[in-house]
mmCIF file of all heavy atoms in Angstrom:
data_model
loop_
_atom_site.group_PDB
_atom_site.id
_atom_site.type_symbol
_atom_site.label_atom_id
_atom_site.label_comp_id
_atom_site.label_asym_id
_atom_site.label_seq_id
_atom_site.Cartn_x
_atom_site.Cartn_y
_atom_site.Cartn_z
ATOM 1 N N ARG A 16 -44.581 85.697 -70.264
ATOM 2 C CA ARG A 16 -44.477 86.104 -71.686
ATOM 3 C C ARG A 16 -43.012 86.182 -72.101
ATOM 4 O O ARG A 16 -42.650 85.746 -73.249
ATOM 5 C CB ARG A 16 -45.188 87.410 -71.903
ATOM 6 C CG ARG A 16 -46.695 87.383 -71.915
ATOM 7 C CD ARG A 16 -47.286 88.639 -72.407
ATOM 8 N NE ARG A 16 -46.951 89.769 -71.600
ATOM 9 C CZ ARG A 16 -47.640 90.183 -70.563
ATOM 10 N NH1 ARG A 16 -48.681 89.523 -70.170
ATOM 11 N NH2 ARG A 16 -47.263 91.246 -69.918
ATOM 12 N N LEU A 17 -42.135 86.681 -71.217
ATOM 13 C CA LEU A 17 -40.721 86.805 -71.683
ATOM 14 C C LEU A 17 -40.104 85.414 -71.784
ATOM 15 O O LEU A 17 -39.227 85.207 -72.596
ATOM 16 C CB LEU A 17 -39.943 87.556 -70.493
ATOM 17 C CG LEU A 17 -40.135 89.030 -70.540
ATOM 18 C CD1 LEU A 17 -39.562 89.685 -69.312
ATOM 19 C CD2 LEU A 17 -39.569 89.685 -71.826
ATOM 20 N N LEU A 18 -40.591 84.433 -71.034
ATOM 21 C CA LEU A 18 -40.086 83.029 -71.154
ATOM 22 C C LEU A 18 -40.441 82.531 -72.613
ATOM 23 O O LEU A 18 -39.616 81.822 -73.224
ATOM 24 C CB LEU A 18 -40.584 82.135 -70.124
ATOM 25 C CG LEU A 18 -40.125 80.659 -70.087
ATOM 26 C CD1 LEU A 18 -38.624 80.649 -69.915
ATOM 27 C CD2 LEU A 18 -40.904 79.897 -69.040
ATOM 28 N N ALA A 19 -41.585 82.944 -73.111
ATOM 29 C CA ALA A 19 -41.986 82.519 -74.425
ATOM 30 C C ALA A 19 -41.492 83.318 -75.560
ATOM 31 O O ALA A 19 -41.423 82.852 -76.690
ATOM 32 C CB ALA A 19 -43.567 82.469 -74.481
ATOM 33 N N ALA A 20 -41.023 84.516 -75.181
ATOM 34 C CA ALA A 20 -40.509 85.466 -76.313
ATOM 35 C C ALA A 20 -39.191 84.894 -76.900
ATOM 36 O O ALA A 20 -38.348 84.394 -76.196
ATOM 37 C CB ALA A 20 -40.225 86.829 -75.655
ATOM 38 N N MET A 21 -39.172 84.982 -78.270
ATOM 39 C CA MET A 21 -37.960 84.467 -78.885
ATOM 40 C C MET A 21 -37.765 85.254 -80.170
ATOM 41 O O MET A 21 -38.608 86.006 -80.644
ATOM 42 C CB MET A 21 -38.088 82.959 -79.216
ATOM 43 C CG MET A 21 -39.269 82.724 -80.196
ATOM 44 S SD MET A 21 -39.492 80.964 -80.661
ATOM 45 C CE MET A 21 -38.143 80.131 -79.976
ATOM 46 N N VAL A 22 -36.555 85.174 -80.709
ATOM 47 C CA VAL A 22 -36.195 85.860 -81.927
ATOM 48 C C VAL A 22 -35.419 84.828 -82.772
ATOM 49 O O VAL A 22 -34.641 84.029 -82.282
ATOM 50 C CB VAL A 22 -35.457 87.149 -81.649
ATOM 51 C CG1 VAL A 22 -34.072 86.849 -81.074
ATOM 52 C CG2 VAL A 22 -35.295 87.998 -82.905
ATOM 53 N N THR A 23 -35.553 85.019 -84.068
ATOM 54 C CA THR A 23 -34.795 84.187 -85.054
ATOM 55 C C THR A 23 -33.927 85.155 -85.795
ATOM 56 O O THR A 23 -34.394 86.148 -86.313
ATOM 57 C CB THR A 23 -35.737 83.441 -86.032
ATOM 58 O OG1 THR A 23 -36.678 82.691 -85.323
ATOM 59 C CG2 THR A 23 -34.992 82.609 -87.020
ATOM 60 N N VAL A 24 -32.615 84.759 -85.839
ATOM 61 C CA VAL A 24 -31.677 85.669 -86.584
ATOM 62 C C VAL A 24 -31.145 84.776 -87.762
ATOM 63 O O VAL A 24 -30.602 83.670 -87.485
ATOM 64 C CB VAL A 24 -30.431 86.133 -85.676
ATOM 65 C CG1 VAL A 24 -29.516 86.914 -86.507
ATOM 66 C CG2 VAL A 24 -31.096 86.894 -84.475
ATOM 67 N N THR A 25 -31.277 85.337 -88.896
ATOM 68 C CA THR A 25 -30.726 84.605 -90.156
ATOM 69 C C THR A 25 -29.644 85.412 -90.765
ATOM 70 O O THR A 25 -29.848 86.621 -91.093
ATOM 71 C CB THR A 25 -31.912 84.366 -91.134
ATOM 72 O OG1 THR A 25 -32.904 83.634 -90.467
ATOM 73 C CG2 THR A 25 -31.389 83.585 -92.352
ATOM 74 N N GLN A 26 -28.540 84.771 -91.001
ATOM 75 C CA GLN A 26 -27.384 85.476 -91.641
ATOM 76 C C GLN A 26 -27.325 84.819 -93.014
ATOM 77 O O GLN A 26 -27.200 83.600 -93.171
ATOM 78 C CB GLN A 26 -26.135 85.199 -90.921
ATOM 79 C CG GLN A 26 -24.954 85.881 -91.619
ATOM 80 C CD GLN A 26 -23.624 85.675 -90.827
ATOM 81 O OE1 GLN A 26 -23.648 85.079 -89.703
ATOM 82 N NE2 GLN A 26 -22.529 86.087 -91.368
ATOM 83 N N HIS A 27 -27.462 85.663 -94.018
ATOM 84 C CA HIS A 27 -27.448 85.109 -95.404
ATOM 85 C C HIS A 27 -26.002 85.160 -95.938
ATOM 86 O O HIS A 27 -25.115 85.795 -95.322
ATOM 87 C CB HIS A 27 -28.290 86.069 -96.327
ATOM 88 C CG HIS A 27 -29.783 86.077 -95.883
ATOM 89 N ND1 HIS A 27 -30.633 84.961 -96.180
ATOM 90 C CD2 HIS A 27 -30.476 86.953 -95.157
ATOM 91 C CE1 HIS A 27 -31.800 85.261 -95.633
ATOM 92 N NE2 HIS A 27 -31.739 86.469 -95.049
ATOM 93 N N GLY A 28 -25.779 84.361 -96.935
ATOM 94 C CA GLY A 28 -24.431 84.297 -97.605
ATOM 95 C C GLY A 28 -23.685 83.106 -97.135
ATOM 96 O O GLY A 28 -24.169 82.319 -96.383
ATOM 97 N N PRO A 29 -22.442 83.106 -97.541
ATOM 98 C CA PRO A 29 -21.531 81.935 -97.212
ATOM 99 C C PRO A 29 -21.369 81.831 -95.643
ATOM 100 O O PRO A 29 -21.152 82.877 -94.994
ATOM 101 C CB PRO A 29 -20.208 82.254 -97.884
ATOM 102 C CG PRO A 29 -20.531 83.266 -98.854
ATOM 103 C CD PRO A 29 -21.721 84.016 -98.431
ATOM 104 N N GLY A 30 -21.479 80.634 -95.149
ATOM 105 C CA GLY A 30 -21.289 80.443 -93.760
ATOM 106 C C GLY A 30 -22.451 80.904 -92.919
ATOM 107 O O GLY A 30 -22.438 80.893 -91.672
ATOM 108 N N GLY A 31 -23.537 81.359 -93.607
ATOM 109 C CA GLY A 31 -24.659 81.871 -92.877
ATOM 110 C C GLY A 31 -25.494 80.775 -92.288
ATOM 111 O O GLY A 31 -25.295 79.613 -92.507
ATOM 112 N N GLY A 32 -26.503 81.163 -91.500
ATOM 113 C CA GLY A 32 -27.333 80.119 -90.859
ATOM 114 C C GLY A 32 -28.411 80.815 -90.099
ATOM 115 O O GLY A 32 -28.523 82.099 -90.124
ATOM 116 N N THR A 33 -29.185 80.091 -89.423
ATOM 117 C CA THR A 33 -30.265 80.620 -88.591
ATOM 118 C C THR A 33 -30.072 80.240 -87.166
ATOM 119 O O THR A 33 -29.788 79.035 -86.877
ATOM 120 C CB THR A 33 -31.643 80.080 -89.111
ATOM 121 O OG1 THR A 33 -31.798 80.490 -90.519
ATOM 122 C CG2 THR A 33 -32.795 80.618 -88.325
ATOM 123 N N VAL A 34 -30.277 81.158 -86.311
ATOM 124 C CA VAL A 34 -30.151 80.902 -84.846
ATOM 125 C C VAL A 34 -31.448 81.471 -84.258
ATOM 126 O O VAL A 34 -31.906 82.572 -84.507
ATOM 127 C CB VAL A 34 -28.953 81.679 -84.259
ATOM 128 C CG1 VAL A 34 -28.877 81.520 -82.726
ATOM 129 C CG2 VAL A 34 -27.664 81.173 -84.877
ATOM 130 N N MET A 35 -32.062 80.647 -83.363
ATOM 131 C CA MET A 35 -33.175 81.033 -82.538
ATOM 132 C C MET A 35 -32.741 81.179 -81.061
ATOM 133 O O MET A 35 -31.997 80.370 -80.619
ATOM 134 C CB MET A 35 -34.317 80.100 -82.677
ATOM 135 C CG MET A 35 -34.911 80.060 -84.069
ATOM 136 S SD MET A 35 -36.230 78.736 -84.191
ATOM 137 C CE MET A 35 -37.400 79.248 -83.020
ATOM 138 N N PHE A 36 -33.233 82.208 -80.384
ATOM 139 C CA PHE A 36 -32.971 82.275 -78.962
ATOM 140 C C PHE A 36 -34.120 82.917 -78.198
ATOM 141 O O PHE A 36 -34.801 83.695 -78.768
ATOM 142 C CB PHE A 36 -31.630 82.902 -78.621
ATOM 143 C CG PHE A 36 -31.591 84.442 -78.828
ATOM 144 C CD1 PHE A 36 -31.806 85.303 -77.802
ATOM 145 C CD2 PHE A 36 -31.330 84.935 -80.088
ATOM 146 C CE1 PHE A 36 -31.783 86.598 -77.922
ATOM 147 C CE2 PHE A 36 -31.315 86.371 -80.259
ATOM 148 C CZ PHE A 36 -31.531 87.190 -79.220
ATOM 149 N N ASN A 37 -34.222 82.538 -76.967
ATOM 150 C CA ASN A 37 -35.230 83.078 -76.072
ATOM 151 C C ASN A 37 -34.517 84.195 -75.199
ATOM 152 O O ASN A 37 -33.334 84.059 -74.923
ATOM 153 C CB ASN A 37 -35.776 81.995 -75.103
ATOM 154 C CG ASN A 37 -36.632 81.022 -75.853
ATOM 155 O OD1 ASN A 37 -36.146 80.159 -76.517
ATOM 156 N ND2 ASN A 37 -37.931 81.151 -75.716
ATOM 157 N N PHE A 38 -35.295 85.103 -74.687
ATOM 158 C CA PHE A 38 -34.680 86.140 -73.903
ATOM 159 C C PHE A 38 -34.472 85.666 -72.486
ATOM 160 O O PHE A 38 -33.508 86.152 -71.761
ATOM 161 C CB PHE A 38 -35.597 87.385 -73.868
ATOM 162 C CG PHE A 38 -35.564 88.098 -75.260
ATOM 163 C CD1 PHE A 38 -36.609 87.784 -76.145
ATOM 164 C CD2 PHE A 38 -34.612 88.966 -75.593
ATOM 165 C CE1 PHE A 38 -36.633 88.463 -77.398
ATOM 166 C CE2 PHE A 38 -34.590 89.603 -76.800
ATOM 167 C CZ PHE A 38 -35.589 89.360 -77.707
ATOM 168 N N ILE A 39 -35.220 84.738 -71.971
ATOM 169 C CA ILE A 39 -35.078 84.071 -70.748
ATOM 170 C C ILE A 39 -35.080 82.612 -70.932
ATOM 171 O O ILE A 39 -35.961 82.095 -71.673
ATOM 172 C CB ILE A 39 -36.291 84.438 -69.758
ATOM 173 C CG1 ILE A 39 -36.263 85.917 -69.399
ATOM 174 C CG2 ILE A 39 -36.226 83.589 -68.496
ATOM 175 C CD1 ILE A 39 -37.433 86.301 -68.561
ATOM 176 N N SER A 40 -34.089 81.893 -70.433
ATOM 177 C CA SER A 40 -34.043 80.499 -70.678
ATOM 178 C C SER A 40 -34.621 79.617 -69.578
ATOM 179 O O SER A 40 -35.110 78.525 -69.799
ATOM 180 C CB SER A 40 -32.581 80.033 -70.918
ATOM 181 O OG SER A 40 -31.787 80.355 -69.824
ATOM 182 N N ASP A 41 -34.628 80.123 -68.342
ATOM 183 C CA ASP A 41 -35.257 79.360 -67.256
ATOM 184 C C ASP A 41 -35.972 80.383 -66.323
ATOM 185 O O ASP A 41 -35.623 81.502 -66.177
ATOM 186 C CB ASP A 41 -34.179 78.735 -66.343
ATOM 187 C CG ASP A 41 -33.563 77.450 -67.030
ATOM 188 O OD1 ASP A 41 -34.331 76.663 -67.497
ATOM 189 O OD2 ASP A 41 -32.362 77.401 -67.075
ATOM 190 N N LEU A 42 -37.032 79.885 -65.759
ATOM 191 C CA LEU A 42 -37.850 80.748 -64.890
ATOM 192 C C LEU A 42 -38.359 79.890 -63.725
ATOM 193 O O LEU A 42 -39.000 78.923 -63.907
ATOM 194 C CB LEU A 42 -39.067 81.443 -65.693
ATOM 195 C CG LEU A 42 -40.024 82.171 -64.892
ATOM 196 C CD1 LEU A 42 -39.456 83.415 -64.189
ATOM 197 C CD2 LEU A 42 -41.200 82.636 -65.812
ATOM 198 N N GLU A 43 -38.141 80.407 -62.509
ATOM 199 C CA GLU A 43 -38.764 79.756 -61.307
ATOM 200 C C GLU A 43 -39.321 80.922 -60.536
ATOM 201 O O GLU A 43 -38.791 81.951 -60.286
ATOM 202 C CB GLU A 43 -37.681 79.099 -60.436
ATOM 203 C CG GLU A 43 -36.961 77.923 -61.113
ATOM 204 C CD GLU A 43 -35.795 77.386 -60.244
ATOM 205 O OE1 GLU A 43 -35.863 77.555 -59.062
ATOM 206 O OE2 GLU A 43 -34.828 76.912 -60.880
ATOM 207 N N ILE A 44 -40.592 80.681 -60.107
ATOM 208 C CA ILE A 44 -41.332 81.686 -59.344
ATOM 209 C C ILE A 44 -41.856 81.073 -58.115
ATOM 210 O O ILE A 44 -42.576 80.006 -58.152
ATOM 211 C CB ILE A 44 -42.484 82.295 -60.232
ATOM 212 C CG1 ILE A 44 -41.926 83.000 -61.452
ATOM 213 C CG2 ILE A 44 -43.361 83.185 -59.386
ATOM 214 C CD1 ILE A 44 -42.944 83.453 -62.463
ATOM 215 N N ASP A 45 -41.666 81.717 -56.977
ATOM 216 C CA ASP A 45 -42.290 81.358 -55.720
ATOM 217 C C ASP A 45 -43.304 82.392 -55.431
ATOM 218 O O ASP A 45 -42.952 83.643 -55.263
ATOM 219 C CB ASP A 45 -41.254 81.316 -54.594
ATOM 220 C CG ASP A 45 -40.315 80.104 -54.684
ATOM 221 O OD1 ASP A 45 -40.667 79.068 -55.251
ATOM 222 O OD2 ASP A 45 -39.143 80.325 -54.333
ATOM 223 N N ALA A 46 -44.552 82.086 -55.473
ATOM 224 C CA ALA A 46 -45.632 83.072 -55.273
ATOM 225 C C ALA A 46 -46.764 82.432 -54.406
ATOM 226 O O ALA A 46 -46.835 81.231 -54.289
ATOM 227 C CB ALA A 46 -46.155 83.510 -56.586
ATOM 228 N N HIS A 47 -47.531 83.282 -53.829
ATOM 229 C CA HIS A 47 -48.718 82.812 -53.134
ATOM 230 C C HIS A 47 -49.738 83.880 -53.177
ATOM 231 O O HIS A 47 -49.531 85.060 -53.495
ATOM 232 C CB HIS A 47 -48.391 82.499 -51.672
ATOM 233 C CG HIS A 47 -47.926 83.596 -50.866
ATOM 234 N ND1 HIS A 47 -46.613 84.086 -50.943
ATOM 235 C CD2 HIS A 47 -48.531 84.512 -50.065
ATOM 236 C CE1 HIS A 47 -46.463 85.128 -50.109
ATOM 237 N NE2 HIS A 47 -47.573 85.417 -49.566
ATOM 238 N N GLU A 48 -51.028 83.506 -52.892
ATOM 239 C CA GLU A 48 -52.114 84.421 -52.844
ATOM 240 C C GLU A 48 -52.645 84.588 -51.475
ATOM 241 O O GLU A 48 -52.733 83.698 -50.723
ATOM 242 C CB GLU A 48 -53.216 83.942 -53.752
ATOM 243 C CG GLU A 48 -52.923 83.964 -55.237
ATOM 244 C CD GLU A 48 -54.114 83.695 -56.075
ATOM 245 O OE1 GLU A 48 -55.181 84.397 -55.903
ATOM 246 O OE2 GLU A 48 -54.051 82.717 -56.878
ATOM 247 N N THR A 49 -52.807 85.846 -51.075
ATOM 248 C CA THR A 49 -53.424 86.150 -49.798
ATOM 249 C C THR A 49 -54.943 86.389 -50.078
ATOM 250 O O THR A 49 -55.325 86.225 -51.258
ATOM 251 C CB THR A 49 -52.854 87.455 -49.136
ATOM 252 O OG1 THR A 49 -53.088 88.540 -49.959
ATOM 253 C CG2 THR A 49 -51.302 87.247 -48.994
ATOM 254 N N ALA A 50 -55.693 86.770 -49.136
ATOM 255 C CA ALA A 50 -57.071 86.996 -49.334
ATOM 256 C C ALA A 50 -57.391 88.147 -50.383
ATOM 257 O O ALA A 50 -58.336 88.007 -51.035
ATOM 258 C CB ALA A 50 -57.768 87.355 -47.984
ATOM 259 N N ASP A 51 -56.472 89.072 -50.448
ATOM 260 C CA ASP A 51 -56.793 90.212 -51.306
ATOM 261 C C ASP A 51 -55.689 90.480 -52.403
ATOM 262 O O ASP A 51 -55.892 91.398 -53.189
ATOM 263 C CB ASP A 51 -56.947 91.448 -50.474
ATOM 264 C CG ASP A 51 -55.753 91.854 -49.647
ATOM 265 O OD1 ASP A 51 -54.824 90.968 -49.519
ATOM 266 O OD2 ASP A 51 -55.712 92.947 -49.163
ATOM 267 N N ARG A 52 -54.607 89.684 -52.453
ATOM 268 C CA ARG A 52 -53.624 89.937 -53.446
ATOM 269 C C ARG A 52 -52.716 88.784 -53.754
ATOM 270 O O ARG A 52 -52.606 87.838 -52.947
ATOM 271 C CB ARG A 52 -52.836 91.173 -53.132
ATOM 272 C CG ARG A 52 -51.992 91.128 -51.863
ATOM 273 C CD ARG A 52 -51.205 92.319 -51.634
ATOM 274 N NE ARG A 52 -49.826 92.066 -51.810
ATOM 275 C CZ ARG A 52 -48.824 92.560 -51.136
ATOM 276 N NH1 ARG A 52 -49.051 93.561 -50.381
ATOM 277 N NH2 ARG A 52 -47.596 92.217 -51.343
ATOM 278 N N PHE A 53 -52.041 88.892 -54.867
ATOM 279 C CA PHE A 53 -51.097 87.891 -55.316
ATOM 280 C C PHE A 53 -49.706 88.387 -55.023
ATOM 281 O O PHE A 53 -49.374 89.638 -55.232
ATOM 282 C CB PHE A 53 -51.199 87.798 -56.926
ATOM 283 C CG PHE A 53 -50.290 86.776 -57.548
ATOM 284 C CD1 PHE A 53 -50.721 85.501 -57.590
ATOM 285 C CD2 PHE A 53 -49.071 87.177 -58.085
ATOM 286 C CE1 PHE A 53 -49.886 84.537 -58.247
ATOM 287 C CE2 PHE A 53 -48.225 86.303 -58.679
ATOM 288 C CZ PHE A 53 -48.653 84.920 -58.785
ATOM 289 N N VAL A 54 -48.845 87.520 -54.459
ATOM 290 C CA VAL A 54 -47.545 88.057 -53.929
ATOM 291 C C VAL A 54 -46.410 87.202 -54.531
ATOM 292 O O VAL A 54 -46.430 85.958 -54.453
ATOM 293 C CB VAL A 54 -47.466 87.891 -52.388
ATOM 294 C CG1 VAL A 54 -46.012 88.337 -51.858
ATOM 295 C CG2 VAL A 54 -48.506 88.774 -51.695
ATOM 296 N N LEU A 55 -45.475 87.860 -55.220
ATOM 297 C CA LEU A 55 -44.252 87.170 -55.623
ATOM 298 C C LEU A 55 -43.209 87.183 -54.540
ATOM 299 O O LEU A 55 -42.725 88.295 -54.117
ATOM 300 C CB LEU A 55 -43.638 87.890 -56.854
ATOM 301 C CG LEU A 55 -44.348 87.809 -58.216
ATOM 302 C CD1 LEU A 55 -43.557 88.628 -59.253
ATOM 303 C CD2 LEU A 55 -44.322 86.303 -58.681
#
């Protein structure tokens, strides 16, 4: 969810503009499942 989370910031007035950014830009996860649980 954090990888998908984003915000748009708009500055009004002269020289203003809109900037979008994500809170996390890259995500790599090594995980596996055992018989009874998920392990990161």
Side-chain angles (χ1 to χ4, degrees):
R16 284 191 301 271
L17 284 171
L18 183 62
M21 62 181 351
V22 67
T23 304
V24 179
T25 302
Q26 181 179 355
H27 300 283
T33 300
V34 175
M35 294 176 58
F36 73 96
N37 292 75
F38 291 96
I39 293 177
S40 58
D41 287 311
L42 173 62
E43 295 174 29
I44 297 174
D45 292 329
H47 63 277
E48 290 188 58
T49 64
D51 60 345
R52 62 179 248 211
F53 183 85
V54 179
L55 283 178

